[in-house]
Amino acid sequence: MKKSNIFVYIELSKLVESLTTNVLLSKQHLKAQAGYFQLIPSRYFSDNLYPEWESICNIVKHKGPKKDESGRIIQNAVANTIDQMSPQECVAVANRILLLFEKVKAEVEYAMPQADYHG
């Protein structure tokens, strides 16, 4: 079975570092980290965890990009969708990301060989 890539662990750790479950700040923090939803490819997750990342990405992109009267994109799909989410929805997404990170962390730590130290 394929395990999550160390890249996923590193990038998710950066993402969760900047997230909050504070209902008053969650939308702002989630939107500020919008780039991570494009940066972290699902294929780098383990077979067990990639569906959860896909689901999270689909939630934060489902409204699509915001366009002006001429049809030009003025806001990407993630930022546009997060703008339209309630603070409670943003907290729910942040919680899902935090939980996914804990699962990735457990996979990576389990996969790393433990050093054998002799004092």
Side-chain angles (χ1 to χ4, degrees):
M1 175 182 11
K2 183 181 92 164
K3 298 291 182 204
S4 294
N5 189 302
I6 191 73
F7 172 79
V8 167
Y9 173 75
I10 292 168
E11 295 306 319
L12 269 183
S13 69
K14 293 176 192 174
L15 171 58
V16 300
E17 191 175 284
S18 300
L19 291 181
T20 181
T21 55
N22 178 317
V23 75
L24 300 174
L25 300 172
S26 62
K27 181 183 284 208
Q28 174 188 343
H29 284 238
L30 191 60
K31 188 175 174 186
Q33 303 307 313
Y36 283 101
F37 299 102
Q38 307 292 343
L39 178 69
I40 307 171
S42 299
R43 69 181 181 273
Y44 290 167
F45 284 85
S46 69
D47 297 338
N48 290 336
L49 299 181
Y50 90 86
E52 177 64 8
W53 181 245
E54 280 284 312
S55 175
I56 292 168
C57 288
N58 287 336
I59 288 168
V60 298
K61 294 178 187 177
H62 80 274
K63 296 285 185 181
K66 184 176 184 178
K67 298 178 181 180
D68 67 10
E69 311 80 39
S70 305
R72 291 184 309 229
I73 295 174
I74 57 173
Q75 190 177 42
N76 72 36
V78 176
N80 183 45
T81 301
I82 293 170
D83 271 347
Q84 297 181 52
M85 292 170 67
S86 71
Q88 293 79 9
E89 289 172 316
C90 292
V91 168
V93 168
N95 279 325
R96 286 182 69 183
I97 294 168
L98 292 166
L99 182 60
L100 178 61
F101 173 68
E102 289 304 317
K103 292 176 182 177
V104 167
K105 182 178 177 182
E107 278 186 355
V108 170
E109 287 175 352
Y110 180 76
M112 288 183 177
Q114 299 299 313
D116 186 16
Y117 293 104
H118 298 286

